[in-house]
Amino acid sequence: MKLKNQLTGLSPYKPGKPMEEVKAAYGLDQVFKLASNENPFGASPLVQEAVQAAAAKPALYPDGYAQAVRTELAESLGVEEKQLLFGAGSDEVILMLCRAYLDAGTNTVMAVPTFSQYKHNAIVEGAEIREVPLVEGDHDLESMLEAIDENTRIVWVCNPNNPSGGYINAEAFASFLARVPSDVLVVSDEAYIEYVEAEDYPDTLQLLRTYDNLVLLRTFSKAYGLAALRFGFGIGPAKLMQEVDPIRPPFNTTALAQEAARAAWRDQAFIHDCKEKTLKNKHELMNFAKENGLSYYPSEANFLLLDTGFDGDEVFQALLERGVIVRSGQALGFPTCIRVTIGTDEEMEHFQSALKAFLHEKAESSAQR
């Protein structure tokens, strides 16, 4: 069988290590996973009841158009129902956008490092990838504008950015949008928007009223605690979203995911509580970093990119053996960093203790030389 040329050597997405695998490998009774930016506080209690009700009818196909959740989200967000496009996670919406607009002879512009699936799906479609390096963890919007030409179809903006955590403020984003050609799609990936503290974060829902080439990505995998159920969506101009919709696989989101999303969306008090706990623990981790001479990238997300000054893979392994799973910066474009999801009080205490033990060992080793 002859594979597409662009698939040769392409690797599948590599998630963080499973906890049970780590327990077995190192003989650990307890392992804390701080690698995938999940919500450590889980999902709203309303979700379990909704999922149980939906699970009572496993023989029936779900509503392919996701009408019930579509109606609720559209009303809450103040958009038309046809402005929404649902996917099995926002990753699938990324896939659909790439399939709709990219092919050989086109190009797509993105920051680097950023979320890997923009590049991955663009490669599958045979498009040219134009990567613009981050500047101190932030998007270089001016250089991204310079990279656009007549063959550019999509510009990706991850806001806040994964893995650095930095964000683009309202003034900068508005200026950027005003200068992007109207026939180039700008995708603002807002997977972590629920955790944003910055008062000058862009009101992108309002910007949709002005720009016909803007699409927003949202997900239920992070703050809403539904990572296992896979449910995300795009918001954009109705005409554009309806043009992309035929690419959507039939019944791509399950009945369980749809009902869970409805229940989770209704419990905004739970989301607010999760945000408050997460922000408290993030600020405590920032203080820990300062106290231990570690630098970090300012983050508006539920994770922190810590620069330990040591090889990210080495720190990852040392923490793994102490029962903490993080992401090594080696695979994320930050070789001496680790990306740490903000967890519960217990998880963060264990992580800080494990990292402190590693740093102490390195200091002792250095002193003996």
Side-chain angles (χ1 to χ4, degrees):
M1 304 295 288
K2 190 172 182 179
L3 191 68
K4 280 183 176 181
N5 290 334
Q6 59 265 33
L7 296 186
T8 303
L10 190 64
S11 301
Y13 181 80
K14 295 179 181 178
K17 281 185 173 290
M19 288 187 285
E20 294 306 316
E21 179 183 320
V22 176
K23 285 181 182 179
Y26 300 102
L28 299 169
D29 295 324
Q30 190 174 37
V31 171
F32 298 106
K33 184 184 177 187
L34 302 175
S36 300
N37 304 336
E38 298 142 325
N39 184 347
F41 306 107
S44 162
L46 301 180
V47 168
Q48 184 174 0
E49 182 179 342
V51 168
Q52 288 175 340
K57 300 177 182 179
L60 301 179
Y61 282 112
D63 174 7
Y65 195 60
Q67 185 62 63
V69 65
R70 180 181 298 272
T71 298
E72 287 196 32
L73 290 184
E75 182 177 350
S76 178
L77 293 168
V79 299
E80 300 174 19
E81 291 184 6
K82 289 185 177 181
Q83 288 183 255
L84 300 177
L85 179 66
F86 295 103
S90 56
D91 331 54
E92 190 178 35
V93 181
I94 293 169
L95 182 153
M96 288 187 273
L97 292 171
C98 287
R99 184 168 294 177
Y101 295 107
L102 300 178
D103 56 20
T106 68
N107 69 69
T108 180
V109 177
M110 64 195 70
V112 62
T114 192
F115 185 46
S116 63
Q117 292 305 287
Y118 315 144
K119 181 177 182 178
H120 182 94
N121 285 289
I123 289 173
V124 171
E125 301 304 328
E128 177 194 350
I129 316 298
R130 296 188 173 181
E131 297 179 304
V132 178
L134 299 174
V135 176
E136 296 182 356
D138 294 327
H139 285 70
D140 183 351
L141 295 180
E142 295 302 318
S143 294
M144 290 177 74
L145 284 168
E146 292 174 5
I148 297 171
D149 65 16
E150 66 276 6
N151 295 318
T152 305
R153 297 294 180 268
I154 305 178
V155 178
W156 304 92
V157 174
C158 191
N159 197 21
N161 186 52
N162 177 18
S164 63
Y167 81 106
I168 301 166
N169 66 35
E171 182 179 358
F173 192 58
S175 173
F176 177 73
L177 274 176
R179 290 180 288 162
V180 173
S182 61
D183 62 345
V184 175
L185 181 64
V186 176
V187 180
S188 178
D189 187 346
E190 301 168 355
Y192 300 95
I193 190 171
E194 290 82 10
Y195 294 107
V196 171
E197 291 181 272
E199 295 181 359
D200 59 349
Y201 185 85
D203 185 348
T204 47
L205 284 171
Q206 287 298 318
L207 290 171
L208 283 173
R209 302 175 187 273
T210 303
Y211 294 97
D212 292 332
N213 62 331
L214 175 63
V215 167
L216 319 179
L217 299 181
R218 304 282 178 92
T219 184
F220 280 82
S221 296
K222 305 304 180 185
Y224 288 91
L226 303 185
L229 294 178
R230 314 306 299 125
F231 196 81
F233 60 104
I235 318 168
K239 181 177 183 295
L240 185 152
M241 302 309 262
Q242 295 306 297
E243 288 174 348
V244 176
D245 193 51
I247 295 172
R248 177 178 52 81
F251 315 115
N252 65 320
T253 61
T254 68
L256 273 66
Q258 291 177 27
E259 290 307 309
R262 292 178 67 197
W265 187 264
R266 291 171 184 169
D267 196 352
Q268 291 298 319
F270 177 82
I271 301 302
H272 177 76
D273 183 57
C274 289
K275 177 180 180 178
E276 292 301 304
K277 292 175 181 175
T278 299
L279 294 182
K280 177 187 77 70
N281 287 350
K282 181 169 71 173
H283 286 290
E284 288 181 358
L285 179 57
M286 291 160 62
N287 289 333
F288 168 85
K290 293 173 184 175
E291 290 168 1
N292 288 275
L294 306 177
S295 61
Y296 58 85
Y297 289 83
S299 172
E300 289 293 328
N302 69 330
F303 59 82
L304 203 63
L305 190 65
L306 280 175
D307 191 342
T308 66
F310 299 102
D311 182 285
D313 286 350
E314 180 186 4
V315 183
F316 164 82
Q317 185 62 36
L319 293 175
L320 197 66
E321 294 171 8
R322 291 173 169 84
V324 184
I325 309 171
V326 297
R327 285 298 294 271
S328 167
Q330 282 283 4
L332 301 175
F334 295 89
T336 59
C337 291
I338 53 172
R339 193 191 66 189
V340 185
T341 302
I342 307 303
T344 63
D345 290 350
E346 180 185 12
E347 289 171 332
M348 299 313 293
E349 287 172 8
H350 190 88
F351 163 74
Q352 290 175 23
S353 176
L355 182 57
K356 207 166 185 176
F358 167 78
L359 295 173
H360 180 70
E361 286 183 4
K362 296 297 288 186
E364 282 194 334
S365 175
S366 178
Q368 292 172 2
R369 289 176 184 171

